Amino acid sequence: MLMDELTSDLVLCRAHADGWQDAIRLAGSLLEGAGACDPSYTASMIASVEKFGPYMVLEEGIAMPHAQAAGNVSRPAICVVTLADPVPFGHEEFDPVGVLIGICAPDPTAHLAGLTELSQMFDDEDAVAKLMGCESSEEILTVMGSFFSS
C-alpha cells in the first residue's frame, strides 16, 4: 500500500507557500528528498496545472499534485503538506487549498492504484479540517493512518 510508504520525512506541517506553484514545489521537494523522483517530476506537476487547469484540486481545500512519469520517478511515494495559509489554485468551487497530498509512481498502473487508495480518505468529510488542525508531522501521520484503518 502507498500509505505504508508515508513517513515523517515525507510530511511538512504548517508550511508557507507564496502561491500554488510554490505549494507544489514543497510537495515535490519532499518526494525528491526521499529519492522517489527527480526535480523534473516536480516541474511536470506544475506544468500539468498550467496545461490542464486545477484538475488536481479534488475536494474543498485539498489537492493531489501528480504528473505522468517520464523516467523521472524511481519508486511510488506519497507526501503530505499542510499550509499555514491556504493558497488559491484557480478552482472555482474548491479553493483555497490548505492540504496537498503529493504522489508519484513510475508507471500508470501504480499511479492509478495510488490515486484509488488515497480516495478512501474522502470517506471522512472532515479529512481536510482534521489535517489542517495538526500541529506536527507525527500528528499528520496519525490522522492519515486513521483514514485507512478498517
Side-chain angles (χ1 to χ4, degrees):
M1 288 181 71
L2 192 58
M3 277 302 302
D4 295 336
E5 305 299 319
L6 185 60
T7 56
S8 60
D9 61 322
L10 286 162
V11 177
L12 191 56
C13 185
R14 297 193 174 274
H16 295 277
D18 291 328
W20 68 265
Q21 296 96 331
D22 196 30
I24 291 176
R25 281 187 202 97
L26 290 170
S29 69
L30 291 174
L31 297 170
E32 292 168 30
C37 66
D38 67 36
S40 69
Y41 184 77
T42 300
S44 293
M45 290 192 291
I46 293 169
S48 290
V49 176
E50 291 170 342
K51 182 174 183 179
F52 301 113
Y55 71 95
M56 59 185 60
V57 180
L58 303 178
E59 292 282 336
E60 187 173 334
I62 190 165
M64 287 191 184
H66 59 279
Q68 186 171 18
N72 50 5
V73 176
S74 57
R75 65 177 179 86
I78 177 177
C79 70
V80 179
V81 176
T82 62
L83 300 175
D85 298 303
V87 297
F89 269 63
H91 196 285
E92 287 183 24
E93 188 177 354
F94 298 141
D95 267 350
V97 169
V99 176
L100 291 90
I101 311 288
I103 63 168
C104 66
D107 62 79
T109 302
H111 183 88
L112 286 175
L115 288 173
T116 300
E117 180 183 338
L118 287 171
S119 69
Q120 293 177 51
M121 71 183 292
F122 297 116
D123 291 344
D124 185 332
E125 62 187 39
D126 297 321
V128 172
K130 288 177 180 177
L131 289 167
M132 288 296 292
C134 292
E135 298 285 338
S136 68
S137 297
E138 292 75 23
E139 204 175 337
I140 289 174
L141 289 172
T142 299
V143 170
M144 285 295 291
S146 74
F147 299 142
F148 301 96
S149 58
S150 356

